[in-house]
Amino acid sequence: MTAIVIDNLTKRFDDLVAVDNVSFSVKSGELFGLLGPNGAGKTTILNMLTTLLVPTAGSALIAGSDIKKDPDGVRSNIGIIFQDPSLDIGLTGRENLEFHAMMYNIERSERKKRIAEVLKVVNLSEKADTLVEYYSGGMKRRLEIARGLIHYPRVLFLDEPTLGLDAQTRRSIWDYIKNLNKEYGTSIILTTHYMEEADYLCDRIAIIDRGKIIALDTPANLKVQYKRDRITLAVPDIPESLVTELEKRAWVQDILSENGNLVLSVSKGEENLPELFHLLHSLGVSVSAVSLHTPTLEDVFIHLTGASIREQDGSRRSAIRDRMRRRMMR
Amino acid sequence: MIQVNAIYVLWMREMIKYARAKSRLVGAIAMPVFMLVFLGLGFRRVDIPGIPGSIGYIQYLVPGILGMTLLFSSAYTGMGVIMDRQYGFLKEVMVTPASRTSIVLGMIAGGATTSLVQATMMMFLSVLLGFRLPGLPAILAAVFIMLLICVIFINIGLTLSSVLKDFHGFNLIINFIVFPLFLLSGALFPVANLPAAIRVFSYLDPLTYGVDALRGIMIDFSEFSLLIDIGILIIISSAMVAISGYFFQKGEAL
Ligand SMILES: Nc1ncnc2c1ncn2[C@@H]1O[C@H](COP(=O)(O)OP(=O)(O)OP(=O)(O)O)[C@@H](O)[C@H]1O
Ligand SMILES: [Mg+2]
């Protein structure tokens, strides 16, 4: 069965179309990534799929239940880790987990076992009986993750799960998510700003910008499709003959000069490097440095959305949001 | 559909937080204590038309102050929902499989317990001012009336909290509702002393019947018959549960 079928989902806030006619589906047991710059509409999509917001138009099926007609059915099959804080800071970590597990009808002995297990994954076992109010930002985030992982839902939504966590914690959470996906066949939709995370975890990725899906494929296919390798040559002065020769080669797509460097867009950079060296040698061109850059998901992303997810505007905005989040959590 | 586990979780959470927040307890009880002490002592020797001299103002005032305690603490249960929305915890509750009805019932259970604890404390504190407690059966009957009063005002607060989603709006409206309801209810003086034009509103105020029923049970003095009071309270409280349930069901959680 298909875990999620989204059909022309649209959400308007006054005159802003936050989600614009989005359709895609997620297979049962798939780990699906949703990538997009700030404000693209990722969280709004998840809010509709988890029945917190009512779509303006369109519909979706989650594990067979319609989000509009059978929200109770949807809720009994899902779990979500929210992007924004959603803990009760007046309770201890363990109480937060305990209450969550009880809401999902997990019986006492199983509850104890799973709580101990997720606390270990997020490395909070020692802090479990402290009030959440006194947790650090990263500890709160880890507790939210632990809570979302307790009840083994059929469909799990993760909204930027590892935002603001250190590399080591992030890695152990990735492994837990992967394991949950494998062992229990949990279907997962994940939004993230970390390309590495999407690349490592996701079977397929949808790139979303301004409420619209602009690409959808496996990470590998996305990379092949959208960007060539880049070879950068530090050549003190570029002879005309070299450019003429390069233009004849089929594997050279584009020739640019960037701050005194010669930048080539090529296919199969690694295979063609020897031929390039041969050519340079025969023309007697002296090169002081060479670098080969193979595309990352980040390049694909920049290419498609025209914005780097982690730089400039984006990071400034998310820094502001982090600060607000911290203030709210107090 | 009613899930007992969800109701229990929401109730238990309220209890734990209530037990931890000592300041909340003191804050909630300070105002009614002041009212009771100063009005009770200040008007002790005054002859108020409509209150038989054999009863005395303190006896008359205590059920009114209990009504006030319940009104204020219950209406602010909605504030808890607004805070949960602001801090994000509400959405965590709203994505669980718990039915909206169970969630509303859990919130009512939590709010009612804390309100009842406060009112019961007030009742025993008032003994220090010379209030003569009725017998145990009457106290139990009074607790039942208090429960009905809580349910009405908790649900008014819950309904408002699902319509008005921010602190300021909620606070403004609740003050515009709570104070007039309190003053109109006859908690401090007999409603009959008000001019007819205003008295009409007193008869529309559910608290009027709540306070009157408490007086009937606790000091054996009431304007209406107990059956009428209780009948009205039961009808209004069931209607309010349905109304707040409806608003919770249809509103967006965010
Ligand atoms: N409740 C709301 N009312 C009005 N506008 C909203 C609301 N929620 C979201 N928006 C707007 O909808 C757009 C999409 O927001 P959304 O939170 O879905 O983005 P996102 O892709 O999750 O971004 P980020 O990466 O920053 O989390 C934004 O322009 C946002 O301002
Ligand atoms: Mg988001």
Side-chain angles (χ1 to χ4, degrees), chain A residues 5 25 33 45 67 93:
Chain A
V5 185
S25 34
I45 292 179
I67 54 169

Side-chain angles (χ1 to χ4, degrees), chain A residues 36-40 42 83 160 163 192-195 209 298 301-302 305-323:
Chain A
N38 288 135
K42 304 178 295 294
Q83 176 178 0
E160 300 187 27
L163 185 74
T192 182
H193 280 184
Y194 299 111
M195 297 297 151
D209 193 21
E298 180 123 15
F301 187 83
I302 295 168
T305 64
S308 166
I309 250 181
R310 313 250 282 108
E311 271 155 39
Q312 295 151 8
D313 194 29
S315 71
R316 201 175 319 131
R317 255 198 283 171
S318 64
I320 292 171
R321 203 179 51 206
D322 280 356
R323 224 170 300 140

Side-chain angles (χ1 to χ4, degrees), chain B residues 127-175:
Chain B
V127 173
L128 299 178
L129 281 179
F131 180 71
R132 293 183 300 278
L133 277 182
L136 188 62
I139 291 184
L140 293 180
V143 170
F144 173 69
I145 300 296
M146 292 198 252
L147 179 66
L148 292 177
I149 298 175
C150 289
V151 169
I152 293 173
F153 295 109
I154 287 172
N155 282 294
I156 290 180
L158 289 181
T159 305
L160 282 176
S161 77
S162 55
V163 180
L164 303 162
K165 300 195 165 176
D166 69 309
F167 279 108
H168 302 295
F170 182 84
N171 240 330
L172 190 75
I173 300 290
I174 207 89
N175 281 329

Side-chain angles (χ1 to χ4, degrees), chain A residues 54 75 88 100 102 328, chain B residues 5 13 87 92 100 252:
Chain A
V54 179
R75 286 191 285 260
D88 188 336
H100 179 91
M102 284 166 78
M328 293 279 297
Chain B
N5 61 320
R13 162 175 182 255
Y87 284 102
E92 146 75 5
R100 297 296 185 248
E252 287 186 329

Side-chain angles (χ1 to χ4, degrees), chain A residues 13-14 16-19 36-45 47 53 83 159-160 191 193 208 317-318 321, chain B residues 254:
Chain A
F13 295 112
D14 301 320
L16 172 85
V17 187
V19 177
N38 288 135
K42 304 178 295 294
T43 299
T44 307
I45 292 179
N47 282 339
L53 286 179
Q83 176 178 0
D159 201 353
E160 300 187 27
T191 82
H193 280 184
I208 177 167
R317 255 198 283 171
S318 64
R321 203 179 51 206
Chain B
L254 297 179

